[in-house]
Amino acid sequence: MKKAMKVLQFSLLAAFAAGAANAQDTKPLRIGVMTDMTGQFSHEAGQGAVNAVKMAVQDFGGKVLGRPIEVVVNDHLNKPDIAATKAREWFDTQNVRMISNLINSGVALSVIGVAKEKNAIAIVNGSGSSRITGDACTPNSIHYAYDTWALAHGTGNEIVKQGGDSWYFLTADYAFGHSLEADTIGAVKGKGGKVLGTIRHPVNTSDYSSFLLQAQSSKAKVIALAGSGTGFINSVKSAYEFGVTKSGKQTLAGLLVWITDVDAMGLEIAQGLTLTSGFYWDRDEETRKWSKRFFEMTKRMPTMGDAGDYSSTLHYLKAVQAAGTDDTAAVMAKMKSTPINDMFAKNGKIREDGRMVHDMYVYQVKKPSESKYPWDYYKQKAVIPADKAFRPLNEGNCPLVKG
């Protein structure tokens, strides 16, 4: 009798546990888009990042493992502490299993730390600091669309090859700017170029006159703009007004140029800028088809961050489906073992340091006379194959990399 009672009790406990598990499984799987919705980086991320993630959810079918997929959004206001607090809240109480975009490198570095602490996933598409897969790498984070090492070596190598062998840096004074400056200096010196000076400016500065005067007086052949967002746009506009490039003696290097920056400046001002990007909407028929869908929702063409948000979200959802669970370790393992083939990347692969490696592209901004239709802004100068586009695995000081 006692044995029968024990069997019955065990059966009831098992049934209760299974019921609880099934109840848990019916909860929505939430993806958080943490981005700049209102500030200086909103024009290259913001609503575009949100729309890209929603497109991926829609294309996946809206459900995974029988659970509805929901997208929640937060404006981090470019403040790492606000971002970290919201990430903890999402992970602890909102059933958010993955956070995407994370434009602003200070924000990204903060949130990937929280993801590790809470055993959740963070996929970085908006930010570029190469520390994300370097000394700050985690088993819970992926750096997807681009990074400062790839931008620096793509643009730096191309400009030095064209004769731009002396550089002066105007650098935005925050994590991304510092990383971009350091990586570009390494690339320039590695090709035999010289760095004649650097100066750092506040992220939100609106007056670049004194910085540009110092850059001009350096007589460097290349004035490198290590920044992003409206700050970058304003610095290029100021350089145009100062006549920096009209003399033909100095060239501007945009170390991170979003297609939305070019659109905001116009080709008259932006023409001639050399840049490196992981995505261009007009690259081939597949990119054009997807980008036109994105344009219908957003009323602008996608940045490489937008394209990365779509691709990485779809890759994440496929991994959840294939793993049969949203368990972080299982999903990360599946994401790293599965090649990425879509409109963003061909044969892309996520390395053990979290870096997604894929081809990168060097472009030059067209002259107004060369542009044939709206958003026809770039001409391709070079393709950098995946195995050359990103920092070698053994050079990043990522503690996850063995040997």
Side-chain angles (χ1 to χ4, degrees), residues 244-279:
V244 170
T245 58
K246 287 180 181 177
S247 67
K249 295 179 180 178
Q250 291 181 302
T251 298
L252 285 183
L255 299 181
L256 173 57
V257 183
W258 304 91
I259 195 167
T260 46
D261 297 338
V262 176
D263 188 67
M265 290 184 280
L267 293 182
E268 179 62 35
I269 292 174
Q271 62 180 307
L273 279 172
T274 298
L275 62 107
T276 302
S277 181
F279 181 85

Side-chain angles (χ1 to χ4, degrees), residues 21-148:
N22 288 336
Q24 176 70 22
D25 287 345
T26 63
K27 288 184 178 179
L29 176 75
R30 292 198 173 99
I31 295 171
V33 182
M34 192 171 287
T35 188
D36 179 357
M37 296 295 292
T38 54
Q40 68 159 322
F41 305 122
S42 58
H43 73 293
E44 63 254 31
Q47 191 60 47
V50 176
N51 288 349
V53 171
K54 287 183 174 179
M55 282 176 68
V57 171
Q58 181 183 29
D59 289 352
F60 188 77
K63 288 186 176 183
V64 63
L65 305 179
R67 299 163 59 187
I69 306 163
E70 295 181 356
V71 177
V72 294
V73 180
N74 173 251
D75 184 348
H76 56 52
L77 304 176
N78 292 301
K79 296 182 178 179
D81 57 337
I82 289 177
T85 299
K86 176 56 72 170
R88 286 193 179 90
E89 178 190 327
W90 274 355
F91 292 143
D92 285 343
T93 68
Q94 300 299 313
N95 207 38
V96 171
R97 301 300 297 140
M98 186 270 277
I99 294 178
S100 186
N101 190 254
L102 297 170
I103 200 163
N104 183 310
S105 288
V107 165
L109 289 163
S110 175
V111 172
I112 65 174
V114 176
K116 180 183 178 183
E117 172 193 333
K118 299 297 182 180
N119 194 31
I121 293 173
I123 304 180
V124 182
N125 280 294
S127 304
S129 174
S130 57
R131 286 193 60 211
I132 294 166
T133 54
D135 66 303
C137 74
T138 82
N140 300 72
S141 52
I142 296 168
H143 206 179
Y144 204 87
Y146 74 101
D147 63 29
T148 53

Side-chain angles (χ1 to χ4, degrees), residues 97-388:
R97 301 300 297 140
M98 186 270 277
I99 294 178
S100 186
N101 190 254
L102 297 170
I103 200 163
N104 183 310
S105 288
V107 165
L109 289 163
S110 175
V111 172
I112 65 174
V114 176
K116 180 183 178 183
E117 172 193 333
K118 299 297 182 180
N119 194 31
I121 293 173
I123 304 180
V124 182
N125 280 294
S127 304
S129 174
S130 57
R131 286 193 60 211
I132 294 166
T133 54
D135 66 303
C137 74
T138 82
N140 300 72
S141 52
I142 296 168
H143 206 179
Y144 204 87
Y146 74 101
D147 63 29
T148 53
W149 195 98
L151 298 180
H153 285 74
T155 303
N157 291 349
E158 182 67 21
I159 292 177
V160 172
K161 187 169 71 176
Q162 295 171 4
D165 56 4
S166 60
W167 291 58
Y168 190 94
F169 287 80
L170 268 61
T171 302
D173 194 10
Y174 74 120
F176 170 76
H178 301 168
S179 185
L180 189 51
E181 176 193 279
D183 284 334
T184 309
I185 287 174
V188 169
K189 289 184 174 179
K191 290 294 181 181
K194 297 176 294 183
V195 176
L196 302 186
T198 65
I199 188 168
R200 292 181 175 176
H201 60 77
V203 175
N204 294 315
T205 191
S206 57
D207 183 3
Y208 289 85
S209 55
S210 63
F211 306 116
L212 285 166
L213 285 170
Q214 291 183 62
Q216 281 184 299
S217 64
S218 74
K219 298 191 180 347
K221 292 180 183 177
V222 181
I223 299 174
L225 305 174
S228 182
T230 54
F232 168 74
I233 292 171
N234 290 337
S235 64
V236 177
K237 286 181 176 179
S238 296
Y240 178 80
E241 291 166 3
F242 269 70
V244 170
T245 58
K246 287 180 181 177
S247 67
K249 295 179 180 178
Q250 291 181 302
T251 298
L252 285 183
L255 299 181
L256 173 57
V257 183
W258 304 91
I259 195 167
T260 46
D261 297 338
V262 176
D263 188 67
M265 290 184 280
L267 293 182
E268 179 62 35
I269 292 174
Q271 62 180 307
L273 279 172
T274 298
L275 62 107
T276 302
S277 181
F279 181 85
Y280 177 45
W281 77 271
D282 207 11
R283 190 176 73 222
D284 56 41
E285 189 53 40
E286 191 176 10
T287 59
R288 283 188 284 273
K289 184 177 179 181
W290 181 83
S291 297
K292 287 173 182 176
R293 288 178 55 211
F294 179 90
F295 186 90
E296 289 174 3
M297 291 181 67
T298 316
K299 307 310 176 191
R300 65 164 174 80
M301 283 301 178
T303 64
M304 63 175 162
D306 300 324
D309 282 324
Y310 173 89
S311 174
S312 59
T313 300
L314 204 54
H315 189 61
Y316 166 76
L317 292 172
K318 289 177 180 177
V320 172
Q321 186 71 48
T325 176
D326 66 3
D327 174 75
T328 292
V331 173
M332 287 292 289
K334 188 62 69 174
M335 291 181 79
K336 288 182 176 180
S337 65
T338 307
I340 298 155
N341 285 288
D342 58 16
M343 89 303 170
F344 182 81
K346 300 303 176 193
N347 297 313
K349 182 180 179 182
I350 300 169
R351 301 189 310 201
E352 57 195 284
D353 62 351
R355 175 68 259 168
M356 200 279 268
V357 294
H358 53 87
D359 293 349
M360 293 288 285
Y361 305 87
V362 180
Y363 296 105
Q364 188 172 57
V365 178
K366 292 182 174 182
K367 299 175 183 177
S369 60
E370 295 173 315
S371 179
K372 305 303 180 188
Y373 40 85
W375 296 87
D376 175 25
Y377 294 157
Y378 296 168
K379 50 187 175 184
Q380 186 173 296
K381 303 293 287 184
V383 178
I384 310 170
D387 62 342
K388 303 292 184 186

